[in-house]
Amino acid sequence: MRNRYLDLLRFLAIVRVVVYHVTGWATLTLVFPAMSVMFALAGSLMAASLTRSGPAAVGRRLRRLLPSLWVLAVVFVPAMLLSGMSVSPRVLLWLFPIADPPANNWGALALSIIWYLRDYLWFVLASPVAFLLFRRAPLLTLLAPYLLLVAIEVGIYPAPPVLREFGLYFGAWTLGFAHHAGMLRRLPGRVLYPMALALAVTGGAWIVGHPGPRGYDLNDNHLGNALWSAAFILIVLGRGPSGVAWLGRSRLADRAVTVVNRRALTIYLWHMPFVVALTPLVDVVGWSHQDPVGLAIRVVLVFALVGVVTLAVGWVEDVAARRRPELIPGGPVQATEPVGQPYTERRGRPDEQLAGATLGRAVVPPQRAAAARSDVSAD
């Protein structure tokens, strides 16, 4: 059994990211702060992995993260080299992006979404220590990224870019730790709702008082983004349902959520190059980005092209996760093991066992076991 609510959140986050990049609608970042939600879900999954297997989880997480990037690099790095990008040792960052890999003029825009993998990589590497600190001092660990970001934004501490990213998104990651530990769900409503409201009001006031070049776009406002997103995460993870039974009653919707979860990294990495490539082409034929019909056509075309490339290379995510490669994930499961044993017990994988399963040495409650079981292909 899987926590389909977490799968649904990831599905919505990925779709929102793609639609935002096509349309540029700043309102979408306020309605659904997708990147923070994705980091929170990843933090919860990372905590589950660390609980289960300790620091060895870092290597497994990197194994699932990097192959899809390498596939992208095999296509785009030679193209950028042929179109004028200079050769330097920094090209090796495309293998392990602890900093932004080099790109030429068009590549820098088409591949701008690599920042997510850069931050994700740092967060994974920091997680064993951060999770240990969280277990010993959860409140201080949760507050630390936000206090760091406040110090940076008000000018107290001129931090380097990597620490600014920790301040912006590692707070969401540690809220994922709290979700895994059951802390958010245990918070009584009289505490959680006022806390979320205070964060939303403070973040909203900061956003209104410090508009960016695109207006009230969260991506232009680090502190407002962090606070607003924290309020959103508190609600959707702290008061979210343990499952979404209605999803299973729609075969199409259920399959769509499964496909996007199993191919989240491929979709994320490849959608922006198509957005950049289509922009001048659709302008030529008159599908203006200011016209609702033109925007709808752009969205459909981007999703169609992403669908094609996902069919072509999405199976890499299966290989990275040591699953049987599938062209379209979520098909019928072929029963090949002896009858009479639960499927998850036959597989012997602790991250797929039923609620109340033992993760590592600790017996966890159903909601935490469900979080551990949620698909990690978006990590």
Side-chain angles (χ1 to χ4, degrees):
M1 295 177 64
R2 299 164 53 85
N3 189 329
R4 296 296 276 169
Y5 175 66
L6 299 186
D7 287 348
L8 179 61
L9 280 180
R10 189 182 293 110
F11 169 85
L12 293 174
I14 290 293
V15 171
R16 203 286 281 158
V17 166
V18 176
V19 173
Y20 165 76
H21 282 146
V22 177
T23 64
W25 290 341
T27 305
L28 291 175
T29 65
L30 294 167
V31 173
F32 196 101
M35 298 312 304
S36 292
V37 169
M38 289 168 64
F39 279 121
L41 294 174
S44 180
L45 292 168
M46 189 68 200
S49 296
L50 288 168
T51 300
R52 184 170 59 249
S53 52
V58 171
R60 283 198 286 272
R61 199 65 58 179
L62 296 180
R63 186 197 72 216
R64 303 188 70 147
L65 178 70
L66 294 173
S68 294
L69 171 65
W70 296 339
V71 171
L72 185 81
V74 164
V75 174
F76 282 97
V77 171
M80 290 189 292
L81 290 173
L82 291 173
S83 59
M85 187 178 78
S86 59
V87 180
S88 74
R90 286 182 57 83
V91 172
L92 296 177
L93 288 171
W94 282 101
L95 298 177
F96 201 77
I98 55 172
D100 290 330
N104 61 1
N105 52 356
W106 62 267
L109 183 58
L111 304 173
S112 57
I113 37 76
I114 298 299
W115 71 265
Y116 171 70
L117 273 74
R118 177 202 65 209
D119 287 5
Y120 193 109
L121 180 61
W122 276 108
F123 295 171
V124 167
L125 294 174
S127 283
V129 173
F131 191 52
L132 178 63
L133 294 174
F134 172 80
R135 283 176 157 175
R136 295 182 177 180
L139 183 59
L140 182 59
T141 306
L142 289 170
L143 289 176
Y146 298 99
L147 295 175
L148 172 64
L149 186 58
V150 169
I152 294 171
E153 292 299 302
V154 301
I156 297 175
Y157 176 48
V162 66
L163 283 183
R164 182 185 292 270
E165 296 300 306
F166 266 87
L168 174 55
Y169 287 119
F170 200 64
W173 189 276
T174 57
L175 284 174
F177 288 177
H179 170 258
H180 165 74
M183 290 175 57
L184 301 186
R185 189 170 293 277
R186 288 196 302 269
L187 277 176
R190 66 179 183 277
V191 175
L192 186 142
Y193 291 119
M195 186 186 304
L197 180 61
L199 287 168
V201 169
T202 305
W206 186 268
I207 293 166
V208 171
H210 301 79
R214 291 173 288 190
Y216 302 132
D217 191 315
L218 287 188
N219 294 300
D220 299 329
N221 194 310
H222 292 84
L223 184 55
N225 185 350
L227 297 177
W228 184 271
S229 298
F232 190 89
I233 291 167
L234 284 176
I235 298 299
V236 298
L237 291 186
R239 287 297 178 269
S242 58
V244 279
W246 58 265
L247 187 61
R249 293 192 287 269
S250 171
R251 178 177 296 182
L252 179 61
D254 188 67
R255 187 74 179 275
V257 169
T258 297
V259 170
V260 170
N261 271 268
R262 293 283 185 89
R263 298 293 182 261
L265 190 53
T266 302
I267 295 169
Y268 181 83
L269 287 173
W270 285 89
H271 81 276
M272 196 62 183
F274 290 127
V275 172
V276 172
L278 281 176
T279 297
L281 296 179
V282 295
D283 284 339
V284 168
V285 298
W287 294 335
S288 171
H289 65 279
Q290 298 178 344
D291 175 23
V293 175
L295 277 178
I297 293 173
R298 289 167 184 256
V299 170
V300 170
L301 285 175
V302 168
F303 273 106
L305 291 170
V306 168
V308 171
V309 79
T310 299
L311 285 173
V313 300
W315 54 268
V316 171
E317 293 195 57
D318 290 331
V319 174
R322 296 182 178 174
R323 294 189 297 258
R324 179 176 59 85
E326 296 179 278
L327 192 63
I328 302 177
V333 177
Q334 299 296 324
T336 57
E337 290 81 6
V339 178
Q341 291 179 283
Y343 174 77
T344 51
E345 292 181 4
R346 294 195 304 269
R347 287 286 190 248
R349 290 182 51 182
D351 58 332
E352 292 181 353
Q353 292 175 358
L354 301 179
T358 299
L359 298 185
R361 297 180 180 177
V363 177
V364 298
Q367 66 269 25
R368 286 173 57 187
R373 291 190 304 269
S374 181
D375 188 86
V376 295
S377 59
D379 294 358

